[in-house]
Amino acid sequence: MLRVALGAIVLAGILMSLTSSVASAHVPTTDGTSTIRQDGSLVRYKLELDYDTLTKAADLGKLPRGAKDAKREAFLESHRAQLASYLAARLTVAHDGESCAAELEDTGITKRQQFLYAGLHLTYRCPGSASGGFTVRYGVFSEADAIGAEHTNMVDYELGGSGGSDVFDSGHRELRVGRSDAEPRESQAGQSDAGPRESQAGETGFLPSMGRFVFMGLDHILLGVDHVLFLVLLLLGAQGWRSVVRLATSFTVAHSVTLALAALGWVEVPSEIVEPLIALSIVYVAVENIARGESRHRTLIVFGFGLLHGLGFAGALSFTDDSGGRLLVTLLSFNLGIELGQLAIVLLLFPLLLLTRRRYSWSTVAHVCVAVVVGVIGLVWFVERVLAPSGAA
């Protein structure tokens, strides 16, 4: 019993350190969208960014809490020159290696999934003909801005004779599209053209782009501690592999449905409601594990909770109405990453749980201790999110 108590204390310390290092069970994130369309020698760029983060990063000052939308919109317009200066060094477009002249033509605001975004409409005037290669470099909300959060920006582009979807994040800040007219000249001059072409293929190819969305989904579930702890509790209460498959399938189907519906904009539930309920789902399953283990209705219960978690997953995705048919590939890729992360957790953890149950008599007490610790953490998250909802997905 002493070993069990000590193990529970150590586990509690580890889990509590996780909760303190990951605010509200998530790595702080901001998101945005980029809609890029070529119009001859012009490139029209519609950029949407989290409103409050942008005003902080661009050092525009603060509006009074509770300011009306009209005032927020006027605030952006009155600081258009400052915004243009902020973006000039952080968002560039080049055509065949030559910089395109940027102009911030309009500003505005938009709301999506209860979040307020600043809309920035830029036009890039590119030299030469409309054909050739384009390079978009994205440095908005980079480490230098010290915003204290990871930033991802969903990209939908029709540029350089092709279209596709991609994502800008800390590991991918450059998009190359089309073949530069300068490449044959470089090859004739004796310079190797393998490097530039490989870079372009690597940056904008279908499979690499799809892979980035898969990794984004994988990253989201593994860094979403509340989702991980919910799965841990399900595994603790499962009686065997058949039970695990049934529960995992129920959870997967449910969160896939609401992820798609929310990302497509067909269902919209404020994070102030979703996030506390996700915390409560952890508390409920923990209490059930302690009281009676897996109930015969758990599959239905897990399905219901999966619907909630899917809405939480959707918070990592942002799309505009211009995303078109490419949105389906993005959704499938992101969801595949979530499923791979979920599968990894199950395959790593459940065999260890089964082994512990079969070999050690104290495993039942240890499992109850874990359920108690995780349940308390879920309750703490619930209180935090009700009193000070973060809106983080």
Side-chain angles (χ1 to χ4, degrees), residues 198-277:
E198 288 175 359
S199 175
Q200 284 184 226
E203 292 293 339
T204 62
F206 174 77
L207 289 179
S209 176
M210 182 178 174
R212 278 190 282 274
F213 287 112
V214 171
F215 182 80
M216 187 177 172
L218 183 66
D219 188 65
H220 191 69
I221 187 170
L222 294 182
L223 293 181
V225 184
D226 49 2
H227 304 305
V228 172
L229 291 186
F230 182 79
L231 285 174
V232 168
L233 288 173
L234 292 182
L235 295 177
L236 282 174
Q239 300 302 313
W241 281 108
R242 184 176 298 178
S243 174
V244 168
V245 171
R246 185 177 67 252
L247 294 174
T249 301
S250 178
F251 185 66
T252 297
V253 171
H255 75 62
S256 297
V257 168
T258 46
L259 168 62
L261 293 177
L264 291 168
W266 296 347
V267 171
E268 190 169 310
V269 183
S271 64
E272 290 86 349
I273 296 175
V274 172
E275 292 299 319
L277 289 178

Side-chain angles (χ1 to χ4, degrees), residues 246-311:
R246 185 177 67 252
L247 294 174
T249 301
S250 178
F251 185 66
T252 297
V253 171
H255 75 62
S256 297
V257 168
T258 46
L259 168 62
L261 293 177
L264 291 168
W266 296 347
V267 171
E268 190 169 310
V269 183
S271 64
E272 290 86 349
I273 296 175
V274 172
E275 292 299 319
L277 289 178
I278 288 177
L280 272 186
S281 73
I282 295 172
V283 176
Y284 179 91
V285 178
V287 170
E288 190 178 57
N289 279 358
I290 296 167
R292 55 181 176 176
E294 182 181 356
S295 70
R296 56 179 183 160
H297 301 298
R298 176 165 282 195
T299 302
L300 290 176
I301 293 170
V302 168
F303 184 87
F305 288 151
L307 297 175
L308 286 173
H309 284 256
L311 295 173

Side-chain angles (χ1 to χ4, degrees), residues 5-326:
L6 290 174
I9 292 172
V10 171
L11 179 63
I14 293 172
L15 292 175
M16 292 306 291
S17 68
L18 281 174
T19 62
S20 63
S21 62
V22 185
S24 296
H26 295 276
V27 174
T29 60
T30 66
D31 60 61
T33 61
S34 292
T35 307
I36 309 172
R37 298 289 184 264
Q38 183 182 354
D39 181 10
S41 61
L42 301 180
V43 174
R44 304 193 185 278
Y45 198 124
K46 181 182 177 182
L47 176 66
E48 291 186 357
L49 297 168
D50 179 82
Y51 186 97
D52 292 330
T53 306
L54 176 63
T55 57
K56 175 186 174 182
D59 197 22
L60 304 186
K62 287 186 177 181
L63 277 170
R65 181 181 288 271
K68 300 296 184 182
D69 288 352
K71 191 168 185 178
R72 290 181 177 274
E73 194 164 359
F75 182 76
L76 282 184
E77 183 61 26
S78 66
H79 290 82
R80 190 196 291 192
Q82 196 169 343
L83 286 170
S85 177
Y86 171 78
L87 294 172
R90 293 169 174 82
L91 186 56
T92 63
V93 177
H95 177 244
D96 286 346
E98 296 186 49
S99 297
C100 303
E103 179 182 357
L104 178 57
E105 292 193 339
D106 195 17
T107 64
I109 62 172
T110 184
K111 285 186 177 178
R112 193 168 59 253
Q113 295 183 4
Q114 303 297 315
F115 290 91
L116 184 66
Y117 292 83
L120 308 170
H121 298 257
L122 299 104
T123 297
Y124 293 85
R125 301 180 185 278
C126 299
S129 64
S131 62
F134 290 86
T135 302
V136 180
R137 292 186 175 89
Y138 185 90
V140 178
F141 297 170
S142 64
E143 294 80 2
D145 290 328
I147 63 171
E150 292 288 331
H151 175 64
T152 58
N153 190 287
M154 309 286 289
V155 185
D156 185 82
Y157 65 88
E158 292 178 6
L159 192 63
S162 63
S165 298
D166 214 319
V167 58
F168 290 129
D169 56 27
S170 58
H172 175 63
R173 293 190 175 276
E174 186 173 284
L175 177 71
R176 296 190 178 210
V177 184
R179 179 170 176 173
S180 172
D181 291 339
E183 284 182 22
R185 291 195 295 271
E186 290 175 358
S187 181
Q188 292 170 4
Q191 298 180 12
S192 173
D193 60 351
R197 279 206 293 267
E198 288 175 359
S199 175
Q200 284 184 226
E203 292 293 339
T204 62
F206 174 77
L207 289 179
S209 176
M210 182 178 174
R212 278 190 282 274
F213 287 112
V214 171
F215 182 80
M216 187 177 172
L218 183 66
D219 188 65
H220 191 69
I221 187 170
L222 294 182
L223 293 181
V225 184
D226 49 2
H227 304 305
V228 172
L229 291 186
F230 182 79
L231 285 174
V232 168
L233 288 173
L234 292 182
L235 295 177
L236 282 174
Q239 300 302 313
W241 281 108
R242 184 176 298 178
S243 174
V244 168
V245 171
R246 185 177 67 252
L247 294 174
T249 301
S250 178
F251 185 66
T252 297
V253 171
H255 75 62
S256 297
V257 168
T258 46
L259 168 62
L261 293 177
L264 291 168
W266 296 347
V267 171
E268 190 169 310
V269 183
S271 64
E272 290 86 349
I273 296 175
V274 172
E275 292 299 319
L277 289 178
I278 288 177
L280 272 186
S281 73
I282 295 172
V283 176
Y284 179 91
V285 178
V287 170
E288 190 178 57
N289 279 358
I290 296 167
R292 55 181 176 176
E294 182 181 356
S295 70
R296 56 179 183 160
H297 301 298
R298 176 165 282 195
T299 302
L300 290 176
I301 293 170
V302 168
F303 184 87
F305 288 151
L307 297 175
L308 286 173
H309 284 256
L311 295 173
F313 292 142
L317 297 177
S318 296
F319 298 105
T320 67
D321 294 336
D322 301 320
S323 296
R326 290 184 287 268

